[in-house]
Amino acid sequence: MTELNIGKWYDPISQRWIVPREPLAAAASSAQSNTEKMLESRRQHEARRIWELLVDCCARR
């Protein structure tokens, strides 16, 4: 599975730089149950979908 890493980005609405949270340690992620891994996968998918919608929206302007 690839990890989404968008780095630091500027939010023009709040007029500040957004820095993503640090990723969880590999040891902690290996202890997650299958349900937690599935929820995390959905969250990452949703984050990617929202990011792509924002990029598309801003590109049209």
Side-chain angles (χ1 to χ4, degrees):
M1 180 187 307
T2 60
E3 183 176 320
L4 176 65
N5 184 7
I6 59 174
K8 183 170 79 168
W9 58 282
Y10 184 74
D11 178 17
I13 295 171
S14 65
Q15 297 182 345
R16 63 188 179 107
W17 285 95
I18 307 297
V19 179
R21 295 180 182 168
E22 291 295 321
L24 297 174
S29 66
S30 66
Q32 290 179 328
S33 70
N34 287 336
T35 303
E36 290 172 329
K37 288 181 182 179
M38 184 177 68
L39 291 173
E40 178 65 17
S41 175
R42 284 184 185 171
R43 186 191 68 79
Q44 287 180 352
H45 175 73
E46 186 68 7
R48 177 180 288 273
R49 186 184 71 82
I50 292 169
W51 177 255
E52 289 172 356
L53 287 171
L54 283 169
V55 170
D56 289 345
C57 178
C58 292
R60 290 184 199 145
R61 293 181 177 200

